[in-house]
Amino acid sequence: MAWTILTISALPAVLLLALAAVVPRRDADAAPLTIRTWVTALATLQLAVASVLTIAMALRLVFGSTDPGAWHAVFPGAGSEPLPIYLDGVSTLMFLMVSFIGWVICRYSLRYLDGDRSQGNYFLWTGFTLAAVALMVLSGHLLLFFIAWLMTSIGLHHLLLHDSSRPAAERAAWTKFTIIRIADVALAIACILLYREFGTAYLGELFTAVGDLSSASAALQTAALLLVLAGAIKSAQFPFHTWLPQTLETPTPVSALMHAGIVNAGGYLLVRTSPIVSAAPWTLAVLATIGAVTACYAAVVMLTQTSVKKSLAYSTIAQMGFMMLQCGLGAFSAALLHILAHSMYKAHAFLGSGDVIAQRSRMGAAAVPRSERKAAGGEAPRRMTTGLAAAGVSLCCLALASLTLGIDPSTKPGGLVLGAVLCLAIAHWLEKVFAGADRRLALQSSAFALALCFLYVFSYRIVDGFVADSVPVVTLPVMQWVVIGSIIGCGFTTMLWAERSTTRRGSESRGGRWYVHASNGFYVESVLRRVFGSLSKS
């Protein structure tokens, strides 16, 4: 039974790879309708398989299976040699998300690429990339994971070069290709170290062996650090993020696939290998620092961008930074929830970016919300009062949602820190609403904040139920918590100050001069190009 389930789960991806392997580019472009029909049909099949597997896994957990862990199976007639597929709560949820987004992108591309002379080749590489991501998610063997990891980069590279006549697109593709090779090397060395240390490349056996250790060896700690490095680079963390904002020349569905699926590969790597990474707690502190710096930096830069797609690119970098911060705090369930939610949102944002531009053109400057118009007329004296009120409301909403649904943040890894960040975000939003002096809007916003907290906590419970048996419970030393908490506190306080400064362009603002610097990404890309030269020519 398990052998059949695991085989069927990988079948659509294998068929997509086979289609990309046997059909030459010239034949694909000569028969685009046939190619796009086959790719879309296989993407639909993969979504159906992923949906059935997710329902089966949910029923398995709800009805108390005696073996709530991953599905295991061996090759028929091959003794005890297991299949290189690892299907548990983590991989099932990610497989469903990847399959759904892939299906949506294929459907969207039918009209977006209609009439394009290279649409047959586009659909071949889209199917290839979707299959590679699916195999990476389902992989239960280090070698298969690494091969699928490489194939995602190859597929994305060809999609970025869909219109190679655009110099900006070619520069972005080769910049990304060069930077991601660092992540590939780091992951390859980590896999070799893990295999030499434990004598196996199967993830299930690795997790069991790591769990039985009383202390981590130097090789294991080095492998954990390399996994952190590979995940951070793959997810466009500072300062390896410069390639992502450059990919504005690529087709919109490719941007959606990249931001909603492939960039998440670094986060999935860390959640998937969380038993290994958490064996060296100091690597989690490094990861939390990288994530906090990236989230704060990218959020400030995002606020100053005038291009919709570039703003979304920096939004992705900031979201990936916050997801890395969650992993660094040991909150792997929250990190996976963040990956799922961000993927759905970002796919919708990119695929609907054309509507946003059209709405802005129609609405113009007269569409400023009433609350913002009032706040611009001299509401500064009331900022302290509205800020305290907003903080109180957001704290009460989160506390009520947690208590009602039976979650104690103090018992969850990073729960108090992440709860404080969530309260800060909601309070910052409510402060702008309360400053508008519109009581009806304030009440509606408070009710919405409460509903948002309930939705977040409820979603967290569902995801945690899926992955609780697959991720470790992290216990960090008190001093490490103090250091990480101080870094996060300073980072988000600085971000709040910078946000207030950069969003006020007038010369009367003390921080107004930072607007120009932030709009240029604080010149990180320029510095890297000056030091290392153009990556596109390397």
Side-chain angles (χ1 to χ4, degrees):
M1 179 63 179
W3 184 88
T4 304
I5 292 174
L6 297 181
T7 303
I8 292 177
S9 65
L11 180 61
V14 173
L15 293 177
L16 284 171
L17 289 179
L19 182 65
V22 300
V23 179
R25 173 173 181 170
R26 182 171 48 191
D27 295 344
D29 289 336
L33 296 181
T34 302
I35 296 300
R36 74 184 196 180
T37 299
W38 274 101
V39 172
T40 304
L42 290 175
T44 305
L45 175 62
Q46 182 168 289
L47 175 59
V49 171
S51 301
V52 172
L53 288 176
T54 304
I55 294 173
M57 180 64 72
L59 294 175
R60 188 166 177 248
L61 295 172
V62 168
F63 290 102
S65 171
T66 56
D67 181 19
W71 267 308
H72 297 284
V74 297
F75 285 103
S80 59
E81 190 69 18
L83 284 168
I85 303 296
Y86 194 81
L87 197 61
D88 63 348
V90 174
S91 56
T92 301
L93 289 177
M94 284 293 296
F95 185 42
L96 177 63
M97 183 270 291
V98 168
S99 301
F100 176 72
I101 290 178
W103 175 77
V104 170
I105 288 173
C106 286
R107 297 289 301 175
Y108 183 91
S109 300
L110 292 177
R111 291 184 60 187
Y112 188 92
L113 272 295
D114 191 30
D116 191 299
R117 60 184 180 182
S118 299
Q119 65 171 308
N121 185 63
Y122 164 85
F123 273 95
L124 274 185
W125 282 112
T126 298
F128 177 90
T129 306
L130 291 176
V133 176
L135 287 179
M136 183 185 68
V137 167
L138 296 173
S139 174
H141 192 278
L142 291 178
L143 181 59
L144 177 59
F145 188 98
F146 183 72
I147 292 174
W149 172 283
L150 289 179
M151 289 195 302
T152 61
S153 294
I154 295 173
L156 179 59
H157 182 74
H158 282 273
L159 290 174
L160 291 175
L161 291 174
H162 174 71
D163 188 356
S164 57
S165 62
R166 297 186 176 186
E170 186 173 2
R171 182 175 63 250
W174 286 106
T175 300
K176 176 259 175 192
F177 187 87
T178 304
I179 292 177
I180 297 302
R181 297 291 75 76
I182 304 175
D184 297 343
V185 172
L187 179 60
I189 297 175
C191 292
I192 294 172
L193 289 175
L194 290 172
Y195 180 78
R196 293 186 61 183
E197 181 74 8
F198 298 103
T200 180
Y202 288 96
L203 295 184
E205 297 176 0
L206 282 173
F207 298 156
T208 301
V210 171
D212 294 337
L213 294 177
S214 57
S215 61
S217 63
L220 179 57
Q221 295 188 51
T222 303
L225 181 61
L226 290 172
L227 290 174
V228 167
L229 178 62
I233 296 174
K234 190 77 168 183
S235 291
Q237 298 297 282
F238 181 90
F240 302 101
H241 67 282
T242 55
W243 63 270
L244 193 59
Q246 298 179 27
T247 56
L248 304 181
E249 298 291 329
T250 188
T252 296
V254 176
S255 296
L257 176 61
M258 177 171 55
H259 288 258
I262 298 176
V263 173
N264 292 321
Y268 176 73
L269 169 66
L270 295 174
V271 175
R272 176 75 288 167
T273 61
S274 55
I276 299 173
V277 175
S278 59
W282 65 272
T283 61
L284 296 179
V286 174
L287 182 60
T289 303
I290 294 174
V293 170
T294 302
C296 296
Y297 162 81
V300 172
V301 176
M302 175 194 68
L303 294 170
T304 63
Q305 301 305 307
T306 56
S307 167
V308 173
K309 291 185 73 173
K310 199 164 187 178
S311 177
L312 289 173
Y314 276 103
S315 170
T316 296
I317 297 171
Q319 295 291 342
M320 291 297 99
F322 189 73
M323 181 268 299
M324 291 291 174
L325 171 61
Q326 291 173 313
C327 290
L329 295 175
F332 296 106
S333 297
L336 184 60
L337 172 61
H338 194 97
I339 291 175
L340 299 174
H342 171 262
S343 297
M344 299 299 177
Y345 155 73
K346 196 51 62 73
H348 176 269
F350 268 100
L351 297 180
S353 58
D355 293 337
V356 174
I357 297 175
Q359 290 174 4
R360 286 186 176 181
S361 300
R362 291 195 302 266
M363 295 169 65
V368 179
R370 187 171 68 170
S371 61
E372 292 187 14
R373 294 201 298 268
K374 288 186 177 183
E379 296 292 335
R382 297 201 306 168
R383 181 168 295 160
M384 182 65 71
T385 303
T386 57
L388 292 175
V393 170
S394 60
L395 181 60
C396 290
C397 289
L398 184 60
L400 182 60
S402 299
L403 293 176
T404 304
L405 296 175
I407 293 181
D408 183 3
S410 63
T411 63
K412 299 294 182 179
L416 294 177
V417 175
L418 295 175
V421 173
L422 179 59
C423 284
L424 179 64
I426 296 177
H428 179 59
W429 169 62
L430 288 177
E431 178 191 357
K432 296 183 178 180
V433 177
F434 291 170
D438 189 330
R439 293 184 178 180
R440 182 178 180 181
L441 181 60
L443 290 175
Q444 291 176 345
S445 301
S446 300
F448 182 78
L450 177 60
L452 187 64
C453 288
F454 268 103
L455 178 61
Y456 177 80
V457 176
F458 180 71
S459 301
Y460 173 80
R461 288 210 58 156
I462 294 177
V463 172
D464 190 55
F466 267 85
V467 307
D469 295 315
S470 302
V471 297
V473 178
V474 178
T475 303
L476 300 179
V478 176
M479 184 55 64
Q480 190 163 323
W481 274 115
V482 172
V483 174
I484 294 176
S486 300
I487 293 173
I488 295 172
C490 293
F492 279 87
T493 301
T494 303
M495 182 184 69
L496 183 61
W497 171 85
E499 187 270 340
R500 293 186 183 278
S501 300
T502 54
T503 52
R504 296 196 301 272
R505 304 190 193 185
S507 58
E508 70 278 1
S509 173
R510 290 180 299 174
R513 66 182 183 274
W514 290 102
Y515 187 91
V516 176
H517 303 321
S519 64
N520 288 280
F522 296 101
Y523 313 104
V524 174
E525 181 181 347
S526 300
V527 171
L528 291 179
R529 283 190 178 183
R530 181 175 300 177
V531 174
F532 299 105
S534 177
L535 292 175
S536 63
K537 298 179 181 179
S538 59

